[in-house]
Amino acid sequence: TCCHAFYNPTNEEQRKTSHDTLLPLVQNPSSISLFQFAIANSKQATTLLFAANGLTKLLTNHWVSVADTQKDEMKTFLLNLLYTTGPELLPMAKHSVSAIVRLYCRLVKLCWLEGPKHQNVTEHVSKFLQGSQHHF
């Protein structure tokens, strides 16, 4: 995949092609749904890593243009994803799971600053932690 070539190029041409293809996505706010789709549907460690890091950067740089409903949906989606696939992904894609956790933390932090309505993270995370021993 292009993401694999981005992180593990076999030659300079492959690195440049993947770089030229992927980096514009990280600068375009309309790529948010593309990154969410990749996180939801890929099992490739490098794809997950790029999508999580790209989405983190996009959200950080374009936070005010993201709708409140999209922010809430993304938090719920990421927590559910970590709950359902995190233990399965961790042995084979530790860095990718870490990037998804960092993305969730960034979302929580940015939402937290918007007021008390968004500060109920402890109730969501405690349900998550009580669900299984795999999540410790």
Side-chain angles (χ1 to χ4, degrees):
T1 67
C2 197
C3 292
H4 183 75
F6 182 78
Y7 288 106
N8 305 301
T10 56
N11 58 50
E12 186 61 28
E13 182 181 335
Q14 187 182 45
R15 186 205 61 78
K16 183 179 178 354
T17 301
S18 63
H19 189 271
D20 292 345
T21 302
L22 294 173
L23 286 187
L25 296 173
V26 177
Q27 299 165 355
N28 185 351
S30 65
S31 299
I32 289 174
S33 59
L34 179 68
F35 286 132
Q36 284 181 283
F37 181 83
I39 292 170
N41 295 292
S42 181
K43 298 293 183 207
Q44 298 290 326
T46 53
T47 302
L48 291 169
L49 181 62
F50 182 80
N53 287 335
L55 192 51
T56 301
K57 183 173 179 153
L58 272 174
L59 291 174
T60 301
N61 293 336
H62 300 281
W63 183 249
V64 295
S65 64
V66 179
D68 285 344
T69 55
Q70 190 175 17
K71 294 170 186 176
D72 290 336
E73 288 170 1
M74 215 176 312
K75 283 192 308 184
T76 302
F77 161 73
L78 289 171
L79 201 56
N80 286 335
L81 177 85
L82 289 167
Y83 182 80
T84 57
T85 63
E88 169 192 328
L89 285 175
L90 192 58
M92 63 183 183
K94 188 176 284 189
H95 296 297
S96 302
V97 174
S98 295
I100 294 169
V101 170
R102 282 191 307 275
L103 170 58
Y104 179 75
C105 291
R106 178 64 54 94
L107 268 167
V108 168
K109 177 183 177 181
L110 292 170
C111 284
W112 188 280
L113 298 172
E114 292 185 347
K117 172 186 166 195
H118 301 285
Q119 297 176 357
N120 60 350
V121 67
T122 53
E123 123 189 5
H124 296 293
V125 173
S126 65
K127 289 178 190 173
F128 174 83
L129 292 174
Q130 291 170 3
S132 166
Q133 288 294 328
H134 296 288
H135 298 101
F136 288 102

